[in-house]
Amino acid sequence: MKDSAKGLIVTTAGVLLVVPDALFVRLIDAGALTIAFWRLFLAGFFLGLGILALHGTAPFRAVLKTGRYGLIHMAGVGASGVLFIQAVALTSVANVVFIIASLPIFAAIYSRVFLAEPISLRMLLTMASVLVGLAVIAFGSGETENASLAGDALALAVSALFAAALTAARRVKHVSMVPSVAMGYVAAALVLLPFAAPFSVPPDQVPLVLCHGGFILGSSVLLAIGPRYITSAEVGLLVLLESALAPLLAWAVVGENPGRYAIAGGAIVIGALLVSNIAMLRNQQKHRADSAPS
């Protein structure tokens, strides 16, 4: 199998595993902090255990040697994991996933500020379009069932924090940050422990909790492997699947209507990112074709 095909299959599988994430929050009968604790602890513990079994402590030591960049990455993935659950508890699934889709905008801003990378005209136009979409979503939060501006703000914080984590990872891209995900998840779970009630989960809900952690574990592994074989533009296109499918899944299973404003704003956000990523992919393909030996 060619690397590109392998990357597409693995990344698509990783995206599909994360689609039910918000739905699990709706289905599990427990407090938001308790759900966040188990989600982070199970995924982080077993991911870390797998790394230790396969590679020993070397990958963890490599992450710690990156200093503040590794710490920023751990803090970003851990905190965003907690706030994601809180956001879903406070606002609609559609609002959360559409707002988090703005992550590339934050990543572009951080890359400009901290990595001195220029922001292209394409990205500026994308930013403007995404801001319009986010404004439409926020405007409708007062009218849409299960939606609130507080939850929307937390979803925006998730996007900003995870983008910071990705920017830090790019600064030390010679080091695999998969062990950092495991450490960040477990650290966040331990911070949550005094505020959560892990053993308050009803026995009949335990399978859901285990499935939730398993889905996040599988997604974390696959989304760490897939981008090694395909471009960032291709990854960006595939990740948009989650934004499109998660609200539909919540609507089908628990009857959570996204509302017209979330649909309209989400269409603007996803449409802008879709066009932007397709344009980036075409530019990359054209550049490769022009640089190929004749």
Side-chain angles (χ1 to χ4, degrees):
M1 185 182 294
K2 292 183 178 179
D3 281 354
S4 58
K6 186 188 301 181
L8 287 171
I9 291 171
V10 171
T11 305
T12 301
V15 170
L16 291 177
L17 283 177
V18 84
V19 167
D21 194 2
L23 178 62
F24 277 116
V25 181
R26 289 282 185 267
L27 294 175
I28 296 172
D29 184 18
L33 293 180
T34 299
I35 295 172
F37 170 82
W38 283 117
R39 174 188 188 270
L40 293 167
F41 181 76
L42 289 172
F45 178 78
F46 285 106
L47 178 59
L49 199 63
I51 294 170
L52 280 172
L54 293 173
H55 305 290
T57 60
F60 296 98
R61 287 185 277 111
V63 169
L64 294 176
K65 286 179 182 178
T66 63
R68 64 178 181 272
Y69 301 111
L71 291 176
I72 291 171
H73 187 268
M74 279 186 268
V77 297
S80 61
V82 175
L83 294 183
F84 173 82
I85 303 297
Q86 293 285 73
V88 174
L90 292 174
T91 194
S92 70
V93 171
N95 281 27
V96 171
V97 296
F98 291 149
I99 291 171
I100 291 177
S102 67
L103 187 149
I105 306 305
F106 285 103
I109 294 171
Y110 294 153
S111 295
R112 177 71 185 97
V113 174
F114 299 108
L115 304 181
E117 295 180 353
I119 299 178
S120 64
L121 176 60
R122 172 186 58 80
M123 186 52 71
L124 287 172
L125 293 173
T126 304
M127 287 179 180
S129 301
V130 167
L131 287 174
V132 171
L134 294 179
V136 172
I137 293 170
F139 178 78
S141 287
E143 300 182 18
T144 305
E145 186 180 359
N146 295 327
S148 74
L149 286 175
D152 294 350
L154 287 179
L156 198 63
V158 172
S159 186
L161 284 168
F162 202 79
L166 294 179
T167 305
R170 289 190 60 215
R171 185 65 180 79
V172 287
K173 57 187 177 182
H174 59 286
V175 176
S176 170
M177 283 293 150
V178 178
S180 174
V181 173
M183 290 189 286
Y185 279 1
V186 172
L190 294 177
V191 170
L192 279 181
L193 186 55
F195 310 100
F199 300 108
S200 66
V201 179
D204 63 326
Q205 298 284 294
V206 171
L208 278 176
V209 171
L210 294 175
C211 283
H212 191 195
F215 271 62
I216 298 305
L217 171 62
S219 175
S220 299
V221 172
L222 294 174
L223 289 177
I225 296 172
R228 295 172 59 188
Y229 302 103
I230 56 177
T231 67
S232 59
E234 289 170 315
V235 173
L237 287 173
L238 292 172
V239 169
L240 290 178
L241 276 174
E242 196 262 342
S243 299
L245 295 178
L248 296 177
L249 186 62
W251 196 354
V253 176
V254 296
E256 185 175 302
N257 189 330
R260 57 180 179 172
Y261 289 104
I263 292 174
I268 294 172
V269 171
I270 293 177
L273 293 170
L274 183 65
V275 171
S276 179
N277 286 331
I278 289 173
M280 184 194 300
L281 190 57
R282 286 182 175 176
N283 285 338
Q284 290 174 345
Q285 291 173 338
K286 183 177 182 298
H287 177 72
R288 285 198 295 266
D290 291 342
S291 59
S294 55

